[in-house]
Amino acid sequence: MKINIKDDAQKYLADKIPAGSTMILTTDDGSNKYSSLGGSCAIGDKFQLVILNENDPKYTVPIENNAGYKLATEPQYTDFFTAGLNISLWHNALALKDNSGILDGALSVVDWRNVKPETAEERRQKMEKLGDQIC
């Protein structure tokens, strides 16, 4: 799998992501430990780049990129992406796109290097609270 991080997006990310960082491209829909959002309206609609200290063993699909990041995704998420996958700056925010169009017009960048993961119960409670606010 391959992603083109366009020049404007690379400039935008330069002060947010240290060079050579280990990252994952994942959904932000409550389906993984990196997301507390919940609700069916978010499935396949919200994505995030997550900066990690080390590889997450669930994210085994490497994503070749032109910015030098160690980037991967989980096999189940590859169905969301088609040819021409790219990140660009769009309306002063990051946009995740592919040849089908815009996948997410507000791609977030989340730094998990110093985050203590929530328990399943903490995530469930947060998702219930946020679910009413996002859908």
Side-chain angles (χ1 to χ4, degrees), residues 5-99:
I5 303 174
K6 297 193 175 179
D7 291 343
D8 54 356
Q10 285 190 47
K11 288 177 189 168
Y12 180 90
L13 292 169
D15 64 342
K16 295 176 180 12
I17 302 173
S21 287
T22 297
M23 295 190 313
I24 56 172
L25 175 60
T26 189
T27 56
D28 191 6
D29 59 8
S31 66
N32 60 71
K33 69 182 179 183
Y34 302 103
S35 175
S36 296
L37 292 179
S40 60
C41 65
I43 296 172
D45 183 55
K46 296 177 185 345
F47 294 88
Q48 60 185 339
L49 289 171
V50 181
I51 307 168
L52 303 173
N53 284 323
E54 57 190 30
N55 293 332
D56 181 319
K58 285 187 171 186
Y59 292 78
T60 58
V61 179
I63 304 175
E64 183 183 330
N65 66 88
N66 58 321
Y69 298 125
K70 296 172 192 149
L71 184 59
T73 195
E74 195 169 344
Q76 69 181 10
Y77 301 131
T78 59
D79 290 342
F80 290 120
F81 311 129
T82 63
L85 190 62
N86 71 84
I87 298 173
S88 62
L89 201 59
W90 186 65
H91 298 292
N92 208 29
L94 292 176
L96 180 66
K97 304 176 183 178
D98 64 15
N99 289 347

Side-chain angles (χ1 to χ4, degrees), residues 80-131:
F80 290 120
F81 311 129
T82 63
L85 190 62
N86 71 84
I87 298 173
S88 62
L89 201 59
W90 186 65
H91 298 292
N92 208 29
L94 292 176
L96 180 66
K97 304 176 183 178
D98 64 15
N99 289 347
S100 70
I102 297 174
L103 303 173
D104 186 348
L107 177 69
S108 58
V109 178
V110 183
D111 190 343
W112 264 68
R113 292 175 295 169
N114 296 311
V115 173
K116 179 185 166 250
E118 298 169 319
T119 65
E121 179 60 22
E122 289 170 330
R123 263 185 66 235
R124 186 189 65 74
Q125 289 175 359
K126 191 184 281 185
M127 287 170 68
E128 284 177 358
K129 182 179 177 185
L130 289 173

